[in-house]
Every structure is written in C-alpha cells, then in structure tokens.
C-alpha cells in the first residue's frame, strides 16, 4: 500500500494496521510469531519508536508500541536500510559472509553493516550512516541533514539535483538542463552519467565527484569494518551498472592488504531485502 506520508502519522499508522490485519488473515491457520517492520528514519534503540524520519515528516512516533498494542504480538522495528543489510545477510547475497557492509545509493545513500554475525547498531542505533560521513575537508556541498560535505551531498540523486541547481544559480551552462526537459528537479544520476559521457563539462565534473567520493568513503568503510562482502545496490547503481566496477577498483586501490580481499557484489533480494530482514529479525527475537 502506498505510504502517502502527507496525510500525517495517524493516517499512515491506520494504513499499516489494515495491511497487517490483512496479512494476519492470510496467514491463518499458521501461528504468527511476531511482526517485523522496516521503517525509514532513526529508530530508538530501546523503544523502537521512530525518533526522526525526514522523508515521512515523523518525529517521535511510537511505532512499535502502537503495533504491538493493537495486535498483541511481539513486534520488532528496524531502520529500513539496516533491515535490508540483515535480509541480505540471512537470506540474500550475503549468506555465510560473517561480516558484510551493504550500501544503497539512490535518492540518498543508506548503509548497514553486519560485523561478526551481528547487526552493527551503536549507542544510539545510528552506526553506519555512511551517507553522512564527511568527504570534503572544507567548504563542502550542503547536505539534506543540515551539514556540509557529507557523502550524500555528492553521491546521491538528491545531492546531484542540489548541485545542478547551485551550478545553474552561478550561471553555468550545461546540456543537463535541456536533457532534463528544462526542469533541474528531473536530473537523475543516469542522466548525469550520460551527459558526462557526451562531453558536458558540468555533468563530467559532477559524475567524477560522485565516483571519487563514493570510492573514497567505501574504501574507508571497508578498512574500518573489514567485511568479506561489500554489497552495492540502489537506484543509482541499477541505472549506471558501470559504477559497481569503478567503485570496486577504488576500493582495491585504497584499502590495506587484509581488507583488500573484500568482494564487491550486487545485493540479491532487490526491493524485498528490507521486508525479508525485518521478518527475520522479528522471528529471531521471538
Ligand atoms: Zn548529511
């Protein structure tokens, strides 16, 4: 069911309740052990409330308490990207890997890590926010989180659009604008890659930055975590398949000897990874 976040949290929760009721009906007569939910945003480490979800416009929505009380079943809420990493680890391309990092480059840059068989969470359940690691030492591009110089400002769909708008304000001429039908909001990573290959200077600069900063951040992630696998997915990687090889080369070139054994591959579960991971976490908790 579409989220339709503009209707506010109460309407989204009502939609969610209808969906869960329908799934519980469909599952009969099987015993349902619990409910797993993958949700966008920061999830409170104890209450599993959604502390903040900019894309939904949510602040402190008690998601787990609400669903658990309504259905009287054990309920587990996980951040959607972290749930996707767990789904890939348990049932997807990461089975048997032991340690992996999963990075999804799309509208934003999301990531989750499994280290020695455990999901990496941190003190505030915020570990592994690769998209908001700093890649520019000074005067970085503005990021949606309020900081400057985050990876996401350079290596995501939303970051690219913001950088195109900034360049147009400075008076840059670029084939990106006519190629996007005159609407900078319709610039995609795919389009930037194509216009870069066709010789547009701005597109070439933006695409070079995307590859450079993504390679740098992923090499650092690999050095810090020493995963057996780096799963690289998301809309940008799907639209520009050559990006995977470019990133793999950067990771090989910029990591220490022991970390260099990492294999860079595509995730296996597609859009279902978060659902599979959330279900697996709920089953394991139950
Ligand atoms: Zn940021």
């Amino acid at each position: 069911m579409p989220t339709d976040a503009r209707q506010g949290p109460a309407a989204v929760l009502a939609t969610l309740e209808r969906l869960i009721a329908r799934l519980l009906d469909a599952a009969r007569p099987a015993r349902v052990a619990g409910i797993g939910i993958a949700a966008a945003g920061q999830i409170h480490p104890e209450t599993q409330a959604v502390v903040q979800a900019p894309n939904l416009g949510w602040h402190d929505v008690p998601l787990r308490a609400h669903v658990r009380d309504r259905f009287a079943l054990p309920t587990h809420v996980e951040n959607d990207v972290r749930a996707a990493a767990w789904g890939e680890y348990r049932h997807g391309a990461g089975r048997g890997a032991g340690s992996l990092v999963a990075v999804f480059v799309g509208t934003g840059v999301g990531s989750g890590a499994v280290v020695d068989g455990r999901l990496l969470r941190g003190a505030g359940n915020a570990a592994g926010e690769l998209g908001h690691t700093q890649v520019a030492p000074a005067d970085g591009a503005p990021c949606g989180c309020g900081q400057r110089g985050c990876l996401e400002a350079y290596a995501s769909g939303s970051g690219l659009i913001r950088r195109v708008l900034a360049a147009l304000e400075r008076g840059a001429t670029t084939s990106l604008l006519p190629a996007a039908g005159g609407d900078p909001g319709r610039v995609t990573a795919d389009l930037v890659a194509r216009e870069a290959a066709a010789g547009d200077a701005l597109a070439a600069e933006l695409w070079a930055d995307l590859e450079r900063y993504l390679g740098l951040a992923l090499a650092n992630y690999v050095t810090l975590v020493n995963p057996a696998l780096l799963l690289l997915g998301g809309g940008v990687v799907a639209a520009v398949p050559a990006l995977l090889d470019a990133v793999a080369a950067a990771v090989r070139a910029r990591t220490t000897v022991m970390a260099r054994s990492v294999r860079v591959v595509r995730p296996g579960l597609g859009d279902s990874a978060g659902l599979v991971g959330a279900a697996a976490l709920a089953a394991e908790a139950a």
Side-chain angles (χ1 to χ4, degrees):
M1 291 177 175
T3 309
D4 203 4
R6 288 165 307 171
Q7 307 277 337
V12 175
L13 289 174
T15 303
L16 184 63
E17 280 182 29
R18 283 201 302 281
L19 178 59
I20 293 171
R22 193 190 289 180
L23 289 169
L24 289 173
D25 267 351
R28 278 195 193 118
R31 191 181 71 87
V32 174
I35 298 170
I37 302 175
Q42 290 172 24
I43 310 301
H44 192 282
E46 274 116 46
T47 65
Q48 293 179 10
V50 179
V51 178
Q52 202 179 8
N55 295 340
L56 294 170
W58 284 16
H59 295 277
D60 296 319
V61 175
L63 182 55
R64 177 173 67 170
H66 182 90
V67 171
R68 188 186 52 198
D69 294 351
R70 166 73 176 74
F71 293 100
L73 281 168
T75 300
H76 187 93
V77 178
E78 189 61 65
N79 165 269
D80 54 354
V81 182
R82 217 163 288 148
W86 191 251
E88 291 289 346
Y89 170 69
R90 296 288 285 155
H91 298 286
R95 279 165 78 164
S99 295
L100 65 81
V101 296
V103 177
F104 301 91
V105 184
T107 309
V109 177
S111 84
V114 177
V115 182
D116 302 329
R118 296 173 70 94
L119 201 52
L120 189 66
R121 295 179 187 282
N125 210 12
E129 287 286 354
L130 185 72
H132 301 289
T133 55
Q134 298 276 296
V135 293
D139 300 323
C143 178
C145 73
Q147 290 282 0
R148 303 182 77 94
C150 297
L151 175 64
E152 193 166 289
Y154 296 94
S156 70
S158 60
L160 284 173
I161 289 173
R162 208 174 285 125
R163 295 194 74 201
V164 170
L165 286 169
L168 290 173
E169 268 170 33
R170 289 195 306 269
T173 50
T174 169
S175 63
L176 282 170
L177 196 56
D183 177 2
R186 286 174 57 191
V187 170
T188 59
D190 183 23
L191 188 69
V192 174
R194 268 187 281 137
E195 295 304 308
D200 180 71
L202 178 66
E205 183 196 330
L206 296 183
W207 190 257
D209 280 351
L210 181 147
E211 283 196 349
R212 188 156 54 106
Y213 289 125
L214 192 59
L216 175 72
L218 289 175
N220 286 340
Y221 204 4
V222 164
T223 296
L224 286 168
V225 172
N226 187 200
L229 278 185
L230 164 57
L231 302 177
L232 187 63
V236 171
V237 183
V240 189
L243 186 57
L244 188 104
D245 292 334
V247 164
V251 167
R252 268 195 307 280
R254 289 167 174 259
T255 45
T256 59
V257 173
M258 290 308 285
R260 204 169 297 157
S261 57
V262 66
R263 287 193 302 124
V264 183
V265 299
R266 285 170 207 290
L269 299 176
D271 290 343
S272 305
L275 303 180
V276 172
L281 285 163
E284 287 152 16

